[in-house]
Amino acid sequence: MVANGTAPRPSAATHTLSQRYLSTRGDDVDFSFEDAVLKGLASDGGLYIPEEIPAAEGWESWKDLSFTELAFKVMSLYISPSEIPAEDLKDIIAKSYSTFRSPETTPLVHLKDNLWLLELFHGPTFAFKDVALQFLGNLFEYFLVRRNEGKTGTDRHHLTVVGATSGDTGSAAIYGLRGKKDVSVFILHPKGRVSPIQEAQMTTVLDANVHNIAVRGTFDDCQDIVKALFADPEINSTHKLGAVNSINFARILAQVVYYFHSYFALAKTNPSFSIGDKVRFAVPTGNFGDVLAGYFAHRMGLPVEKFVVATNENDILDRFFKTGRYEKKAPTTAVEDAGVKETLSPAMDILVSSNFERLLWFLAYEFAESAGMDDEWNKKQAGQEVKQWLGDLKTKGGFGPVYQDMITSARRNFESERVTDAQTVDTIKAYYNELGYVLDPHTAVGVAASDRSIKKADAAVPHISLSTAHPAKFAGAVELALKDEEGFNFEEKVLPAEFVGLDKRERRVKEVECTWEAVREFVRAKVSEELGA
Ligand SMILES: *Cc1c(COP(=O)(O)O)cnc(C)c1O
C-alpha cells in the first residue's frame, strides 16, 4: 500500500517522447501537460502552448478509426505517456465521449453540392463546448485523484472551479464537472438574463458539487466578480481556484480531433474526394478556440486549403485578417458604441478573442525564424513580441499593423467573413426553405461565410462548415427567423425530446447580491460543507 501519496510516477526522463509546455509571453517555460491543465493561465499572464506542434506521422492510416481511437492518436502526441499512461488516457477518452448521443460523436452531414455540416452538438448540453468540457472534467478528476492517493481530510488537493457564463460555457462546464471527485464548481450567471433553456439546463443539475449562482446584475458584473475572486489573496490562501474558460489548453486539444474525424468522414462519403485532397473549414468564431484547434490539425499535417473565420458584428478578428491591426474598436466606431454588441449569436459576442494570443505567438515565431538564429532565441523573441502587443492591447486598446510577413503568413491559412444579424436570419430562412434544415444562429454565421467562400474558392474544394449548437438552444433567434414560414412549428421541427419537461424539473440555485464578497462567502460555506460531508 502506498502510504503518503508518493505513488510511483515514472519521470519524464525515462521516456523519449516528452511534450512540454511554455507560455506565449515567454517568461514561463518547461511545464508538464498536467501543470498547464490545472493552472489554466500561466503566471506571466500568457497562455500555455506546446513547445512543438507535433507532426501526425502516417495520419492517412487513421482514416478508419472511430472518434475515440482517433482522439487517442491525436492526444498521445501532446500528452507524454510518462504523464498519463496510454491505458489511462484511453479510459479518460472513452468516458468523455460515452455521453454523446451520436454513434459517430461528431457526425458530418451533407447539405448541398460541396457544402457539408459538421454537427458538434450531440453532447449533453447540445453545444460544441461539450466536446472539450466532457474531456476536461474527466482530466481534472484524474489528476486530482492521483494527487490525492493515500491522502485524507485537509491534505487532499481540492479544486474550486469558478466561472461566469452568459449561457453556453456554464452549462457545458456543469455537465463536465458534475459528480467529479475533489472538484466543486460554482457558475455565476446574470439573473434573468440567460435564455430559459440555458437557465433550466444549469439549475436542474442537482449534484452536490454543483452550485449555480444567480447574480443580481449583468454578465459583465459576473465576470468582474470572478476576476475579483481570482485576485483575492484571502480566498487564494485557503482554496485552490480553477478555471474552465477557453484558455485551457486541454480544451483546444480535444477540439483538434474532430477536424481529422470530419476530413475522413468526407473521404468516406464523397467518391470524388481522396485522402490528401484539400478542404476548407468555415468556423463560427468568438474566442478563437475552435478555429485554433483546426490550425493545430493543419500544422500536424491535415490538408486544409483555408480556414474561414466567421464573425458576427463583433468583428475584431475579421478586421485583423483584413488590415493586420488588432483593435478593440474599429477606427470608424463612435466611442459610445465601442462595447460588445449584443447579437443573435451571443456565444460569439466578444470584444477581444482570448485564444488569438496563441496564433500571434506562432506567427511571431515563424517571423523570428526567418532571422536565422537558434530555436531558443526564436521562442524568446516570439514571447517578447506577444507580451508587447498584449500590453498595447491593454493600455492603448489595440496594436498593429503587425509585420507584413506575419499578415501574409496569416492569410495563407485564414480568410475571414463578417456576418450581420440580418444575414444570419436570412441564412436560417434560406436553408430551412431550400433543405428543411434548421440552423442555430451561430451555425448560420458560419454557413453564411461558407456560401461566400464557395463563390470565391476553387469549385473543386469541399467546404466543411462547423455547427456549434443545436437550434433549440437559441429558440429566440430561430423563431424570429422562421415564425412566418409555412408549416414551421418549433415544438415539432426543432425541440429535442431531452428538452421537453426540463423547465418543470426541480432546480437548485442561489440568488446573491451583486458583490464579490457575497459570492466569496457562499463559495466558502459550500466548499466547507462539501469537505465536511
Ligand atoms: C463558444 C461558442 C462559439 C465560439 O467558439 P470559440 O471557440 O470561442 O471561437 C460558437 N458557437 C457556439 C454555440 C458557442 O457556444
Side-chain angles (χ1 to χ4, degrees), residues 89 93 101 110 127 208 237 312 488 493:
L89 183 58
I93 292 168
R101 294 175 302 278
H110 186 211
S237 72
N312 64 23
F488 179 74
K493 300 260 190 225

Side-chain angles (χ1 to χ4, degrees), residues 62-379:
W62 297 350
K63 68 178 175 18
D64 295 317
L65 299 184
S66 68
F67 186 92
T68 50
E69 289 166 338
L70 197 55
F72 177 72
K73 289 281 187 198
V74 169
M75 291 174 179
S76 297
L77 298 172
Y78 290 86
I79 308 169
S80 308
S82 57
E83 280 203 62
I84 305 182
E87 287 313 309
D88 292 359
L89 183 58
K90 282 181 185 165
D91 287 347
I92 295 170
I93 292 168
K95 201 167 159 191
S96 302
Y97 300 107
S98 67
T99 54
F100 280 61
R101 294 175 302 278
S102 164
E104 296 144 280
T105 312
T106 57
L108 187 71
V109 301
H110 186 211
L111 282 185
K112 60 175 192 189
D113 309 324
N114 59 354
L115 177 59
W116 278 260
L117 196 68
L118 172 55
E119 292 185 344
L120 300 173
F121 54 73
H122 295 278
T125 75
F126 292 76
F128 97 102
K129 289 188 171 68
D130 288 328
V131 178
L133 282 163
Q134 287 291 303
F135 176 66
L136 186 65
N138 288 313
L139 208 52
F140 274 158
E141 184 176 58
Y142 176 80
F143 287 140
L144 291 171
V145 165
R146 185 164 72 183
R147 286 184 176 204
N148 288 333
E149 224 171 295
K151 294 186 186 171
T152 51
T154 51
D155 283 349
R156 292 182 78 79
H157 191 108
H158 186 90
L159 193 67
T160 303
V161 168
V162 186
T165 190
S166 55
D168 260 13
T169 305
S171 44
I174 287 171
Y175 277 77
L177 293 170
R178 65 187 298 181
K180 297 283 181 256
K181 285 188 256 328
D182 297 313
V183 188
S184 309
V185 52
F186 294 84
I187 298 294
L188 285 65
H189 69 264
K191 182 177 155 57
R193 296 182 201 225
V194 295
S195 83
I197 270 291
Q198 289 177 329
E199 190 181 335
Q201 270 187 326
M202 291 192 285
T203 58
T204 55
V205 175
L206 303 176
D207 298 68
N209 72 329
V210 171
H211 308 282
N212 279 285
I213 304 180
V215 175
R216 293 187 206 114
T218 64
F219 172 56
D220 284 341
D221 294 330
C222 294
Q223 274 189 312
D224 289 344
I225 291 172
V226 171
K227 277 190 203 141
L229 285 171
F230 275 88
D232 174 40
E234 216 179 299
I235 188 134
N236 277 286
S237 72
T238 49
H239 294 65
K240 290 187 185 68
L241 299 186
V244 285
N245 45 15
S246 74
I247 55 166
N248 199 304
F249 182 73
R251 287 185 57 179
I252 308 290
L253 177 57
Q255 293 168 180
V256 173
V257 180
Y258 51 69
Y259 284 91
F260 279 97
H261 192 259
S262 61
Y263 182 92
F264 293 132
L266 182 65
K268 272 177 217 155
T269 56
N270 182 4
S272 62
F273 184 83
S274 329
I275 303 279
D277 291 351
K278 289 187 173 178
V279 292
R280 280 188 169 223
F281 283 101
V283 188
T285 300
N287 273 324
F288 205 76
D290 199 358
V291 70
L292 182 79
Y295 173 77
F296 271 66
H298 175 52
R299 292 279 308 268
M300 292 169 74
L302 194 69
V304 179
E305 201 227 4
K306 208 75 96 179
F307 292 97
V308 183
V309 173
T311 76
N312 64 23
E313 289 162 61
N314 295 291
D315 59 357
I316 185 168
L317 290 166
D318 180 54
R319 287 184 279 117
F320 174 82
F321 288 111
K322 294 200 163 119
T323 66
R325 284 194 298 271
Y326 193 71
E327 296 164 321
K328 286 187 189 168
K329 87 179 181 59
T332 51
T333 308
V335 177
E336 60 274 20
D337 296 333
V340 179
K341 190 166 181 227
E342 273 184 42
T343 73
L344 294 176
S345 41
M348 289 151 58
D349 289 347
I350 47 92
L351 209 51
V352 298
S353 293
S354 48
N355 279 294
F356 189 62
E357 180 167 344
R358 287 186 164 114
L359 179 67
L360 280 172
W361 188 93
F362 287 104
L363 295 174
Y365 174 73
E366 199 181 313
F367 183 69
E369 273 183 319
S370 62
M373 308 285 278
D374 65 39
D375 193 55
E376 197 178 326
W377 186 86
N378 298 339
K379 287 190 167 117

